Amino acid sequence: MEMDPDVRRFVGGYPRTREEAERRFRNGRRHKTNLPFCSIILKAENSYIGRGGLHPMPGGAVGLGFYLARPYWGRGLATEAARAFVDYGFRELKLPRIVSAVEVGNAASVRVLEKTGFNFLRREAGERRSFDHFELRNS
């Protein structure tokens, strides 16, 4: 997954070697929070198919992130995972809102956010990459 350019296109922009991926996972985010950003496992196959969850964002916001290996695209699994993380954030952590940023052009992730109930906030234009920002408020 880390070496697949189609997977990495919108999460980091370039494929990683196995060594880079292992180093990144080993060093991971060392924040001390109760925010789950973890492996996504397909129980029916007992297979690691991606990563996702909630993570700290600048300014104290909490963000939703996710990515799946290509063989699992288009099966509703990202939406299922996103809904589970949002539900956990709102019910267990009592978060007032969750945000997410999607690189412009990543229509599949935008669809996941829309199906999960997120609303478009704004576009942040960058020199190399631009991002659309979304939020979901706990009602």
Side-chain angles (χ1 to χ4, degrees), residues 23-42:
R23 183 173 50 253
R24 180 113 164 125
F25 285 139
R26 267 194 310 272
N27 294 335
R29 293 183 179 171
R30 299 198 186 271
H31 53 78
K32 294 185 188 303
T33 70
N34 56 350
L35 300 176
F37 201 88
C38 49
S39 299
I40 298 174
I41 305 295
L42 182 60

Side-chain angles (χ1 to χ4, degrees), residues 10-116:
F10 295 118
V11 288
Y14 67 93
R16 291 184 179 138
T17 65
R18 181 174 185 92
E19 294 76 24
E20 287 175 305
E22 287 176 355
R23 183 173 50 253
R24 180 113 164 125
F25 285 139
R26 267 194 310 272
N27 294 335
R29 293 183 179 171
R30 299 198 186 271
H31 53 78
K32 294 185 188 303
T33 70
N34 56 350
L35 300 176
F37 201 88
C38 49
S39 299
I40 298 174
I41 305 295
L42 182 60
K43 288 181 182 179
E45 298 175 6
N46 195 31
S47 299
Y48 169 81
I49 64 168
R51 295 187 62 192
L54 303 174
H55 57 90
M57 299 282 288
V62 173
L64 170 69
F66 51 86
Y67 63 101
L68 297 179
R70 191 176 350 173
Y72 301 95
W73 292 0
R75 296 169 51 179
L77 298 170
T79 302
E80 182 181 345
R83 285 179 177 150
F85 289 121
V86 164
D87 185 58
Y88 178 81
F90 287 162
R91 286 181 190 248
E92 301 299 322
L93 301 179
K94 309 292 188 221
L95 297 172
R97 75 181 189 128
I98 298 172
V99 299
S100 191
V102 176
E103 187 170 350
V104 171
N106 188 347
S109 288
V110 170
R111 280 192 303 277
V112 168
L113 293 177
E114 289 172 346
K115 287 191 281 185
T116 308

